[in-house]
Amino acid sequence: MLFRQLFDQDTGTYTYLIADTKTQAAVLVDPVVERTERDLKLINELGLTLRYCLETHIHADHITGTGKLRELTGCQSIVPEHAHATCADRFIQDGETLQIGDVQIKAIATPGHTDSHIAYLIDHERVLTGDALLIRGCGRTDFQSGDAGVLYDSVTQRLFSLPDETLVYPGHDYRGQTVSTIGEEKRWNPRFVQQLGESSAFKDRSSFIEFMNNLKLPDPKRMMEAVPANELCGRVSVEA
Ligand SMILES: [Fe+2]
């Protein structure tokens, strides 16, 4: 398997390129429209064929590259089930597996940051957590039908039940971190865990909800433009 982590500095967004080395079939997860040229150049240099663009969720902070990549390569766009995206070629639901040659990509429903969010487990060894679980953090829950209690359940019941050695690759990072593990986040993620001397314990659901509901973050700069565009796979409407 080929696995690459790509970064957009402007929005702190990670895009992932995953490919089967036998068939050269590739998938891009959460592409950013301004990085289309970079992504296509890499795909061409590596001799890959882009089959799918896969979204973890409808983003509020950047415009997806899916629409442009689909136009240029003929790849299919796949978004989580129930996402408001009329442009998608296909929807993916919890437990469904996407097979790319020998590479297995399994969908794990992880709502809470948005109401239709999916994490992707790649070959049982690494998980793309989108904005559900970030390194020592998590995505906000105060817009796009977010729900802090639902996010707490997704992370503590779905993601934290993966083996400790599973590598965690998030949808964003703002502090220069690139990869973690489930075991590390279960021990040190301050949103979900409190330190008790030498040991630690999970915070309870109600204190997590209270904390998340009082973050008072400003709206992402591009939200009014990004959400409607992403519902159209990245096409910016002239009326918008
Ligand atoms: Fe997001």
Side-chain angles (χ1 to χ4, degrees), residues 57-61 113-114 131 144 172:
H57 63 293
I58 301 294
H59 308 278
D61 62 321
H113 168 64
T114 65
D131 294 2
Q144 283 191 289
H172 290 287

Side-chain angles (χ1 to χ4, degrees), residues 161-220:
S161 64
L162 294 169
D164 279 358
E165 62 276 16
T166 311
L167 295 165
V168 170
Y169 286 92
H172 290 287
D173 193 82
Y174 309 101
R175 291 179 290 232
Q177 305 160 120
T178 54
V179 58
S180 179
T181 65
I182 289 293
E184 208 178 302
E185 293 309 309
K186 270 162 74 178
R187 176 74 175 85
W188 295 109
N189 191 311
R191 294 274 169 99
F192 300 97
V193 179
Q194 54 186 323
Q195 302 304 320
L196 304 166
E198 296 288 281
S199 64
S200 63
F202 284 156
K203 285 184 178 169
D204 64 50
R205 195 173 187 271
S206 57
S207 57
F208 176 79
I209 294 170
E210 202 191 321
F211 179 84
M212 292 305 288
N213 290 347
N214 287 294
L215 277 178
K216 297 191 173 63
L217 296 167
D219 282 347

Side-chain angles (χ1 to χ4, degrees), residues 92-155:
I92 191 162
Q93 59 181 345
D94 184 42
E96 206 178 315
T97 295
L98 193 64
Q99 196 74 35
I100 312 293
D102 288 341
V103 181
Q104 193 196 72
I105 302 178
K106 191 181 171 208
I108 305 173
T110 40
H113 168 64
T114 65
D115 57 359
S116 59
H117 183 292
I118 286 192
Y120 296 106
L121 182 64
I122 316 294
D123 279 351
H124 306 280
E125 59 189 25
R126 37 189 120 199
V127 61
L128 310 186
T129 53
D131 294 2
L133 179 65
L134 305 179
I135 298 175
R136 308 297 193 266
C138 66
R140 60 197 291 179
T141 53
D142 55 339
F143 56 70
Q144 283 191 289
S145 312
D147 185 306
V150 172
L151 181 65
Y152 182 89
D153 297 339
S154 289
V155 172

Side-chain angles (χ1 to χ4, degrees), residues 8-35:
D8 174 51
Q9 299 90 324
D10 296 342
T11 58
T13 302
Y14 285 123
T15 297
Y16 296 94
L17 175 66
I18 300 155
D20 173 55
T21 44
K22 261 196 229 155
T23 59
Q24 306 296 95
V27 181
L28 266 178
V29 182
D30 289 341
V32 174
V33 70
E34 287 84 1
R35 302 288 167 244

